[in-house]
Amino acid sequence: MKILALEFSSSQRSFAILDSETNRVAGSAAEMGGRSTRAFALIEQALQKANLTREQIDCLAIGIGPGSYAGIRSAIALAQGWQMARDVKLIGLSSVETIASGLQHQRKFGRTNVVIDAQRNEFYLATYEISASMLKESEALRIVSADEIRSRIEAGQTVVGPELEKWFPQATLVYPEAGITARLATMSKAFVSGDKIEPIYLRETTFVKAPPSRIIP
Amino acid sequence: MLILAIESSCDETSAAVIRDGVVVSNVVSSQIKLHAEYGGVVPELASREHLRGLIPVTQAALREANVTAMQLDALTATRGPGLPAALMIGLKAAQAMAFTLHKPFLGIHHHEAHLYSPWISGNPPRADFENLQPNVSLIVSGGHTMLVHVERELHHRVLGSTLDDAAGECFDKVGKLMGLPYPAGPEIDRLAEQGNAKAFDFPRPMLNDKNDDFSFAGLKTSVRYFLQKNPGLLDDSQTIRDLCASVQAAIVQVLVKKTIRATQRLGLQCVTASGGVTCNRSLRKELAAACTENGFTLRVAEKTLCTDNAAMIGILAERKLLAGDAGASLDAEIEPGWPLEQATSRA
């Protein structure tokens, strides 16, 4: 199976193509920046590196955050369009798990706090026990305060994640990488229709409801 | 030419299939009920709904048209203006379809599509550009109010637009002040039918200014102060009907008079109108009467094409492709604040 992975949940948007038979990333590309993306040019670049055509892609694996809603939705919408045009499989994968799995792939073992900016001075946090043979989520993904992250750093724990330097200079910069997303996809069979993929929403919505309206027959 | 169009600029997810100037299918999924609970469009909720609704709506449009994605000749989507996150979902999906199918893609200006929607009519709806005349086009919706001189096909010049609130926004905000359900425009239209439009004298902002701009924020504020001074008025349903009729009359008079005056000044014989507010029965009636009085031809978009829809996006995209537009880069981004002047070259 030829997998195209899109990981747009951070300011580094990455693209990777992996052949599940070899489990090797055959082509990849990445870009940094704000809202605008050269997604299709970079997908084409990755395809050329992999010596594949668009028609040969069997599956799209999407990083679904948590992270930048704009980036994640952009990747999901792209995948939805692809699925409507071609009969491809889709799978959504946690960007936090992608970061943890990437560390395991780089043999960076130990207890690790994966942190992603959740805006409003809050952070997504999941803690993993990482070894050569095991990747275990020991504390489930949740939203915590900056103080919680700070206390873990002060206690000497490892904190990693994208774009954390502004708040936690001691944290290690690690982006979720599409190549890892693609590898995770080979281990899952949770394929879904594109309309069932959505970003990981952890925060409760707090939109103000209108008062009851006046009904005049 | 077979085109799939997607529109997701605000709170409606729509997809349409156009074949050689004919609207073969036009599926619209409205989010109005979802947003009504909050008294207005919540952008975050709109984005979530677009993401959930895009595939079912697009597949329904393809199914209704009895075509497959592989048969398409081109893809198009609204590129702007609109809510950024909402626009992005339709645009990226359409671009991805174009990319995977190796077909051209065109990003369309929502208002430019409105300019030509009055020229789509019949059953099935068909583009009637052979009869297109130079005209003054009134685009009036919840997000925009503008007058545009359409000199010929794909050539237009903005004459004026609202300096603050759009007319539809004024309807909604005034309705909110009166405690009416969202969207208040249709409710005010309904209640005004049994109300006295002369019961209350609200201002007609910029009515006599020698330009083609509009302003409705002052009217809304005037209603707010009036209700604050007279709180008991809302206890009586007939008075509410009179208030609705009076506010509606003020908005409609400004829209109609300024449209007619611009048409006279430019020496044109044709007026068109489109956008959600043109569903308002009083506006349709008054605009028709004023056009008849002045000997102008009036073309108002059919009701299904007044509100946000992909059919008008697809029809305009087809005209542009036929006129030699090579299409946009697949990495063209959304344009949430895209000025209409920049959508097509001016004559």
Side-chain angles (χ1 to χ4, degrees):
Chain A
M1 186 164 64
K2 312 284 190 297
I3 300 169
L4 167 63
L6 308 175
E7 175 43 81
F8 290 9
S9 69
S10 71
S11 62
Q12 176 193 269
R13 284 177 290 270
S14 58
F15 310 75
I17 293 166
L18 181 138
D19 188 333
S20 63
E21 284 179 22
T22 61
N23 206 30
R24 196 180 66 83
V25 173
S28 64
E31 64 178 353
M32 295 291 295
R35 280 178 176 244
S36 66
T37 172
R38 293 170 49 241
F40 296 103
L42 292 171
I43 290 171
E44 190 58 40
Q45 192 179 307
L47 284 165
Q48 283 176 9
K49 280 185 195 167
N51 201 23
L52 291 173
T53 63
R54 303 165 196 185
E55 294 77 9
Q56 289 175 283
I57 295 297
D58 304 300
C59 171
L60 270 76
I62 311 300
I64 54 170
S68 155
Y69 280 161
I72 298 163
R73 287 183 180 137
S74 169
I76 293 174
L78 193 159
Q80 288 183 338
W82 200 303
Q83 192 178 49
M84 285 192 283
R86 303 263 174 200
D87 188 19
V88 293
K89 292 176 176 170
L90 294 190
I91 185 167
L93 293 154
S94 157
S95 303
V96 169
E97 192 182 345
T98 295
I99 289 175
S101 183
L103 294 172
Q104 186 189 37
H105 195 70
Q106 294 171 42
R107 306 188 65 76
K108 292 181 177 169
F109 304 137
R111 182 181 169 83
T112 305
N113 297 290
V114 180
V115 176
I116 292 173
D117 179 17
Q119 310 284 319
R120 305 183 214 167
N121 210 28
E122 290 185 319
F123 296 86
Y124 300 108
L125 167 68
T127 305
Y128 287 85
E129 304 295 337
I130 306 172
S131 68
S133 59
M134 181 188 72
L135 178 67
K136 185 185 166 198
E137 187 187 62
S138 54
E139 290 180 49
L141 182 64
R142 63 199 186 281
I143 294 181
V144 299
S145 67
D147 287 344
E148 169 75 29
I149 307 296
R150 221 168 274 126
S151 70
R152 291 184 182 226
I153 291 171
E154 284 164 8
Q157 294 186 24
T158 303
V159 170
V160 305
E163 300 128 12
L164 295 176
E165 63 280 7
K166 191 163 76 179
W167 298 276
F168 315 113
Q170 307 92 327
T172 305
L173 174 67
V174 180
Y175 290 110
E177 299 284 350
I180 303 295
T181 310
R183 284 201 169 88
L184 289 174
T186 63
M187 294 183 269
S188 175
K189 294 225 169 5
F191 302 117
V192 291
S193 169
D195 55 324
K196 301 290 187 289
I197 296 187
E198 59 180 23
I200 292 176
Y201 297 122
L202 278 185
R203 184 179 275 135
E204 290 287 318
T205 53
T206 53
F207 308 115
V208 180
K209 293 195 176 181
S213 50
R214 191 185 301 274
I215 305 299
I216 302 170
Chain B
M1 187 180 291
L2 194 62
I3 296 182
L4 174 68
I6 294 176
E7 148 68 35
S8 66
S9 62
C10 189
D11 61 342
E12 267 137 1
T13 314
S14 178
V17 174
I18 309 300
R19 178 185 275 130
D20 302 328
V22 176
V23 180
V24 189
S25 65
N26 181 34
V27 178
V28 181
S29 171
S30 173
Q31 302 175 7
I32 279 184
K33 281 184 184 169
L34 171 74
H35 298 289
E37 213 178 326
Y38 302 93
V41 176
V42 182
E44 172 60 23
L45 293 181
S47 303
R48 293 182 184 198
E49 280 304 297
H50 283 307
L51 218 48
R52 289 182 194 123
L54 188 71
I55 287 183
V57 165
T58 306
Q59 286 177 336
L62 288 168
R63 202 167 45 241
E64 208 175 293
N66 200 24
V67 298
T68 65
M70 302 292 280
Q71 293 173 277
L72 298 169
D73 296 310
L75 283 297
T76 184
T78 307
R79 189 177 170 193
L83 300 173
L87 282 169
M88 186 267 294
I89 291 165
L91 189 85
K92 283 289 160 234
Q95 287 172 330
M97 290 185 81
F99 179 78
T100 54
L101 295 168
H102 299 272
K103 299 295 181 188
F105 168 79
L106 216 58
I108 293 293
H109 192 293
H110 184 87
H111 297 156
E112 190 180 11
H114 267 308
L115 290 180
Y116 300 99
S117 63
W119 302 93
I120 307 168
S121 59
N123 187 21
R126 179 184 295 273
D128 179 26
F129 289 99
E130 293 73 22
N131 291 314
L132 190 140
Q133 308 170 45
N135 63 76
V136 166
S137 188
L138 171 68
I139 301 175
V140 57
S141 69
H144 309 277
T145 303
M146 59 173 70
L147 280 173
V148 184
H149 178 193
V150 179
E151 288 154 313
R152 58 183 193 277
E153 188 179 334
L154 305 182
H155 287 78
H156 55 260
R157 185 165 59 94
V158 176
L159 300 170
S161 58
T162 184
L163 304 178
D164 40 56
D165 290 354
E169 196 177 354
C170 184
F171 271 120
D172 286 342
K173 287 178 175 173
V174 166
K176 200 171 187 176
L177 292 172
M178 291 192 275
L180 301 179
Y182 172 87
E187 187 68 355
I188 289 177
D189 184 3
R190 183 180 73 84
L191 294 172
E193 201 175 18
Q194 291 168 30
N196 175 7
K198 292 179 179 165
F200 304 101
D201 186 21
F202 290 115
R204 272 69 170 156
M206 299 184 77
L207 183 65
N208 296 313
D209 287 22
K210 293 191 186 308
N211 58 45
D212 299 311
D213 289 328
F214 299 93
S215 166
F216 292 103
L219 171 56
K220 171 199 68 192
T221 306
S222 166
V223 175
R224 171 180 287 138
Y225 287 147
F226 184 72
L227 291 175
Q228 279 172 359
K229 281 182 194 165
N230 304 279
L233 288 179
L234 296 178
D235 295 337
D236 176 53
S237 60
Q238 184 53 47
T239 309
I240 292 175
R241 289 189 176 89
D242 292 344
L243 277 166
C244 288
S246 301
V247 170
Q248 179 175 274
I251 294 172
V252 167
Q253 190 186 353
V254 173
L255 293 173
V256 171
K257 190 166 177 186
K258 296 203 90 161
T259 304
I260 296 297
R261 203 169 60 199
T263 313
Q264 288 169 334
R265 191 185 69 242
L266 293 168
L268 301 175
Q269 296 298 313
C270 182
V271 170
T272 73
S274 60
V277 176
T278 49
C279 291
N280 180 281
R281 290 171 295 175
S282 173
L283 175 60
R284 284 185 172 239
K285 188 177 151 198
E286 296 298 325
L287 196 55
C291 285
T292 302
E293 192 184 320
N294 285 277
F296 298 159
T297 303
L298 172 66
R299 288 193 74 137
V300 183
E302 292 188 358
K303 285 194 176 178
T304 53
L305 300 175
C306 278
T307 47
D308 294 348
N309 67 90
M312 66 177 186
I313 304 296
I315 288 284
L316 178 59
E318 185 182 48
R319 299 303 289 190
K320 289 192 169 215
L321 288 166
L322 290 171
D325 193 321
S329 155
L330 283 177
D331 280 327
E333 286 294 341
I334 56 166
E335 295 274 4
W338 201 1
L340 180 56
E341 292 89 336
Q342 290 174 13
T344 306
S345 61
R346 287 169 57 167

